[in-house]
Amino acid sequence: MAAANMLECVVAAWLVQRYGERVLEPASLRALCCLVVVAALAPAVSAWPGAMILQQEESFWSDWLKWWIADGLGLLLLAPAFAALANLRAASIASCFSPARLLEAAALAAG
C-alpha cells in the first residue's frame, strides 16, 4: 500500500515537472489545468494495487473507482493549499503573527 502511494507521488511529481511550468502559481489557468490532469492520472497508478489488496465483496472496478476518486479529490483539495503555503515568503508569514493579527485571532476564537 505504501509503495503504491509513493508511486502515485512520483508520477504526480514527474507530470508536474514535465508538463507544468508554474504549477505553484495557483492563479493561472495553465496551473489549474495541469492540476486537474495530474489529479486524474496520478491516482490511477495507486488505485490498481489498492483495489487489488482491499478487494471486498464488490467488484474490482468498483473498488478501483472508489480509490481513484478518493485520491483524486485529495489531490484537488490539498494541492492548492500546499502550493499557496510554498509561495509564502518569510515576511508575509511574519506579518500573519503581528500583534494586531494575534489580537484579531483571539477575538474571533473567543466568539
Side-chain angles (χ1 to χ4, degrees), residues 4 6 9 14-15 17 21-22 24 30-31 45 54 59 62 68 70-71 75 77-78 80 83 91 96-97 105 107:
M6 181 59 77
C9 294
W14 179 79
L15 287 170
Q17 287 286 350
E21 294 173 9
R22 300 274 183 204
L24 293 180
R30 180 178 173 98
V45 174
L54 297 177
S59 71
S62 175
W68 178 72
D71 276 4
L75 271 171
L77 292 174
L78 294 176
C96 291
F97 296 107

Side-chain angles (χ1 to χ4, degrees), residues 31-110:
L32 178 65
C33 291
C34 182
L35 176 64
V36 170
V37 169
V38 167
L41 295 178
V45 174
S46 68
W48 287 96
M52 282 189 272
I53 292 171
L54 297 177
Q55 191 169 4
Q56 306 285 323
E57 297 84 30
E58 299 176 22
S59 71
F60 169 80
W61 292 109
S62 175
D63 290 338
W64 183 90
L65 184 64
K66 288 176 191 174
W67 192 282
W68 178 72
I69 288 172
D71 276 4
L73 285 175
L75 271 171
L76 286 174
L77 292 174
L78 294 176
F82 288 132
L85 285 174
N87 283 334
L88 286 178
R89 303 231 185 321
S92 64
I93 293 173
S95 70
C96 291
F97 296 107
S98 67
R101 291 285 187 174
L102 291 174
L103 182 62
E104 179 184 13
L108 287 172

